[in-house]
Amino acid sequence: MELPQFEEYEPGACGCAGCAERRRSAARPLRAGGARRAIVLATAAGVVLSGTAAAADGGGRDVGVGHGPAAGHPTPHDRALDGDGATGADDEPVTAQGVTSALHGSPAGVGGLTPPRRLQPMTRADIVNRAKKWVSAQVPYSMDEYWSDGYRQDCSGFVSMAWNLGTNEWTGSLATFAVRITKDELQPGDMLLFHNPDNPTRGSHVVIFGGWTDYTHTYYVAYEQTPPNARKQSTPYAYWSNSTRYLPYRYKGLSNGTSGTLPATATDSAPDKSAPDKPSTAFPGAASFGPGANNANVTRLGQMLVARGGKRFYTEGPGPRWGDADRRATEAFQRAQGWTGTEADGLPGPDTWSLLVKGTGRDIPAARTPAVTATPASFVTAPAYPGAGYFRPGQSSTYVTDLGRRLVLKGFGRYYTSGPGPDWEEADRRNVEAFQRAQGWRGAEADGYPGPETWRRLFA
């Protein structure tokens, strides 16, 4: 995957494309080494001042330490710099970073300074829904253009919009609207920020955190403004590049829970160090679960089931997409409570959810090791292949049991959590697939459904 390239906005008297070009043209005579270095020094000084509040908030967590130049894919303004930030060829311009600007079309005027205002109370859903609007509209990336809502169409303008700040901020100022948190505290609506104080035009980027994709917390959903347009994408933590330099923050104006209180302004209140939001115990509804479901409630269900002894059902995940592992783990938890029939159908209801959320009820018992018996005498000579129709979802026969026993004897039973048994299940298919791949087969020859040659080799 080609990594995105980022350029921060160059604030000034006007944000339109024409004025931005005139500013760049006016800057060209300053390309000589001494004048150029003066611009870089002035930029760095401004960054140090703007980053004071964020550094003070770090509480010993080194807010500004470790930032450095981005790797891999330089922006046009990056190409004058080598890997350690040293100045390279003098024919590339230096883009200075500037101050906060008003929304495009606001009474203060484009590029005009506005006094700090009260932060708007925002729920997590508000933030994510605002981010989704730009993703749905496929808002194109631009440092010079403004969308119809007045926000600049770059990464920091995107977060300014999602947090409803009422101004177009930049990566050097967004932290003043937030409090530092840890990775474990991240929840939808928070941001991950990389601001490079050594050279803000190189690598600086920010995204809205949309939630973890699975219980390992190695990937998350990122909402971001990036070339060519706003997107929602599963992203490795903390980001594709400069991963260790992204810092998690929470909006100070968060109106639900206790993790963010509403200060008088973005800059005149002390950081809020209170605990992160506590998850709700309310059952999200039956529609959140079952075939076709794809949402954060499925991920949370899986995480709770893993914590209660259901880890063996998941070969990967849990994740937001409902799968057979979720159904089987839920059923195992329900049966552990002594429930049967429709009360143990593998679909969580209010009672199942309440027990999981509160940590009450019985845990899922450990799996019993399947008994592996000696090869039956009838298998001394391989039985005739019964036909593909016996090995499909919904089929049940002794052939499936015989197949499973042979897979276990051959060392390909890792996906069985119980059995083997007569009902064809996903575990049977995956074990057959593993056996087929061990034969060196690929593609349609290793689809997990036994054919005559798979059968012959299993019973040989």
Side-chain angles (χ1 to χ4, degrees):
M1 173 182 290
E2 182 178 353
L3 300 184
Q5 304 177 35
F6 307 108
E7 300 180 42
E8 261 295 341
Y9 172 62
E10 178 186 357
C14 179
C16 71
C19 290
E21 177 58 29
R22 285 194 293 275
R23 290 198 302 277
R24 285 192 285 269
S25 298
R28 285 181 186 126
L30 298 178
R31 288 176 186 166
R36 178 185 173 116
R37 284 191 291 272
I39 293 177
V40 174
L41 290 173
T43 298
V47 170
V48 170
L49 292 175
S50 67
T52 302
D57 179 55
R61 286 187 271 190
D62 300 330
V63 175
V65 175
H67 293 307
H73 297 270
T75 68
H77 299 307
D78 294 337
R79 297 188 186 111
L81 304 175
D82 60 26
D84 60 2
T87 304
D90 285 334
D91 60 349
E92 292 288 347
V94 173
T95 303
Q97 295 283 321
V99 296
T100 298
S101 66
L103 296 186
H104 184 72
S106 71
V110 177
L113 298 180
T114 57
R117 69 166 187 165
R118 288 183 61 87
L119 293 183
Q120 299 302 300
M122 298 285 288
T123 66
R124 297 189 182 281
D126 291 335
I127 295 170
V128 172
N129 286 335
R130 287 175 68 87
K132 285 181 177 179
K133 287 183 179 180
W134 274 32
V135 173
S136 298
Q138 294 288 278
V139 175
Y141 180 89
S142 173
M143 295 187 300
D144 302 317
E145 300 296 327
Y146 296 80
W147 196 238
S148 57
D149 53 15
Y151 289 96
R152 194 175 57 246
Q153 293 167 212
D154 62 7
C155 62
S156 50
F158 177 78
V159 174
S160 299
M161 176 277 302
W163 282 2
N164 195 21
L165 296 183
T167 52
N168 280 297
E169 300 300 324
W170 67 299
T171 56
S173 63
L174 280 169
T176 64
F177 293 81
V179 294
R180 273 287 306 280
I181 57 176
T182 66
K183 174 185 176 181
D184 292 338
E185 293 172 332
L186 274 167
Q187 295 187 51
D190 298 334
M191 76 171 174
L192 287 165
L193 171 68
F194 167 38
H195 174 66
N196 183 357
D198 297 326
N199 184 356
T201 68
R202 184 168 185 171
S204 297
H205 189 49
V206 61
V207 305
I208 291 291
F209 179 84
W212 299 109
T213 62
D214 58 54
Y215 78 102
T216 65
H217 290 190
T218 54
Y219 275 77
Y220 67 98
V221 174
Y223 294 90
E224 60 183 325
Q225 184 69 5
T226 177
N229 44 249
R231 72 181 183 186
K232 169 189 175 184
Q233 179 168 295
S234 178
T235 302
Y237 186 85
Y239 201 70
W240 301 99
S241 60
N242 297 301
S243 181
T244 60
R245 295 165 183 167
Y246 279 78
L247 302 176
Y249 288 88
R250 177 162 297 157
Y251 175 54
K252 286 180 180 178
L254 198 67
S255 62
N256 62 331
T258 59
S259 58
T261 57
L262 185 63
T265 71
T267 58
D268 64 359
S269 61
D272 182 1
K273 297 291 186 178
S274 54
D277 293 344
K278 294 182 179 180
S280 171
T281 59
F283 177 58
S288 296
F289 309 102
N294 187 351
N295 57 75
N297 292 317
V298 177
T299 303
R300 186 180 175 198
L301 171 73
Q303 291 169 346
M304 292 189 294
L305 287 166
V306 167
R308 301 298 299 274
K311 183 177 181 179
R312 69 177 185 272
F313 295 97
Y314 294 92
T315 56
E316 59 184 25
R321 190 180 300 276
W322 178 269
D324 189 59
D326 300 295
R327 182 194 64 78
R328 295 173 66 194
T330 302
E331 179 183 356
F333 179 76
Q334 292 168 332
R335 290 188 178 279
Q337 314 313 310
W339 305 342
T340 57
T342 57
E343 293 180 340
D345 58 2
L347 296 172
D351 293 336
T352 301
W353 186 263
S354 178
L355 290 176
L356 287 169
V357 169
K358 295 177 181 178
T360 55
R362 300 184 183 91
D363 289 346
I364 300 171
R368 290 176 295 180
T369 303
V372 178
T373 59
T375 304
S378 59
F379 289 166
V380 173
T381 301
Y385 176 62
Y390 286 95
F391 310 107
R392 290 293 184 269
Q395 295 301 309
S396 180
S397 70
T398 57
Y399 294 115
V400 177
T401 304
D402 294 343
L403 172 77
R405 288 175 177 170
R406 291 301 294 180
L407 286 166
V408 171
L409 285 169
K410 292 280 189 178
F412 295 91
R414 61 171 295 196
Y415 294 106
Y416 289 123
T417 56
S418 61
D423 298 326
W424 177 264
E425 295 183 345
E426 178 65 10
D428 298 293
R429 190 198 68 77
R430 298 186 71 176
N431 286 329
V432 172
E433 179 184 358
F435 176 79
Q436 291 169 331
R437 288 186 174 276
Q439 313 310 304
W441 304 340
R442 296 294 183 268
E445 294 180 339
D447 60 2
Y449 296 100
E453 183 60 20
T454 299
W455 187 266
R456 185 188 69 79
R457 294 194 183 195
L458 271 173
F459 288 93

